[in-house]
Amino acid sequence: MGNIFLFHTDVDTDQIIASQYLLFPTIDEMKSHAFESLDPDFASRVRPGDFVVAAENFGCGSSREQAPSVLKALGVQAVVAKSFARIFYRNAINIGLPVIVCKDLYDHVKPGDEMELSLTEGVATVNGQQFACTKLPPYMQGILDQGGLIASLNREGE
């Protein structure tokens, strides 16, 4: 169970982590500025296990890997949206942040609602309602469990 942080359509990577913070040398230094222009208190309020829920085209804009990385560093359990920008989706999987497509969820939740998400079953449960989401195949779950694509590939070589 985690709390929902709700964001709109077309949230771009510059809104997730603004370009001026890319000058910081580490993700740990950047993460306190996540969503600063949309929700200045996000980084101080989000807790490990919470969820980012958004409408369409989440993560559009530049291809910066820091965008999913700051969310993972803050403990976001998953990003659930109606759709994702392809490069954000790829970067999230690469670093081990679950990104789940769930077409109907956004229209039935509000900020602060508690949600439970089963990645293997492809089901989000909020307010007593269940919503069908992307069901991750076992190989994809394995990649996420190992911390992302690079970590997974490194373990295969051992």
Side-chain angles (χ1 to χ4, degrees):
M1 286 288 248
N3 289 320
I4 290 176
F5 287 83
L6 201 61
F7 294 94
H8 54 76
T9 297
D10 297 325
V11 171
D12 67 48
T13 53
D14 202 45
Q15 291 171 313
I16 299 169
I17 184 69
S19 59
Q20 68 260 30
Y21 301 119
L22 301 180
L23 299 173
F24 292 169
T26 67
I27 294 296
D28 269 350
E29 291 173 88
M30 289 179 213
K31 70 183 182 185
S32 65
H33 301 282
F35 290 117
E36 198 168 74
S37 66
L38 299 177
D39 180 353
D41 299 322
F42 174 81
S44 63
R45 291 186 305 123
V46 68
R47 297 289 171 252
D50 285 346
F51 297 95
V52 167
V53 174
E56 286 107 1
N57 201 28
F58 186 86
C60 58
S62 72
S63 61
R64 64 181 67 146
E65 195 170 270
Q66 295 92 336
S69 295
V70 295
L71 299 179
K72 183 177 178 185
L74 286 167
V76 169
Q77 184 174 331
V79 179
V80 182
K82 288 185 176 192
S83 66
F84 291 91
R86 290 182 80 159
I87 193 69
F88 180 88
Y89 188 90
R90 249 347 246 242
N91 283 338
I93 296 300
N94 287 347
I95 60 107
L97 176 67
V99 281
I100 306 298
V101 173
C102 193
K103 298 284 185 192
D104 298 323
L105 179 71
Y106 180 83
D107 298 318
H108 294 91
V109 297
K110 61 186 183 317
D113 282 350
E114 284 192 342
M115 181 167 80
E116 190 172 344
L117 178 66
S118 171
L119 297 175
T120 55
E121 297 300 317
V123 175
T125 305
V126 185
N127 300 324
Q129 290 184 283
Q130 291 191 327
F131 299 90
C133 302
T134 303
K135 188 175 182 178
L136 294 181
Y139 77 90
M140 183 74 80
Q141 186 64 53
I143 289 171
L144 292 172
D145 290 345
Q146 292 179 57
L149 182 61
I150 302 303
S152 177
L153 292 172
N154 286 340
R155 288 195 177 103
E156 282 181 15
E158 292 178 353

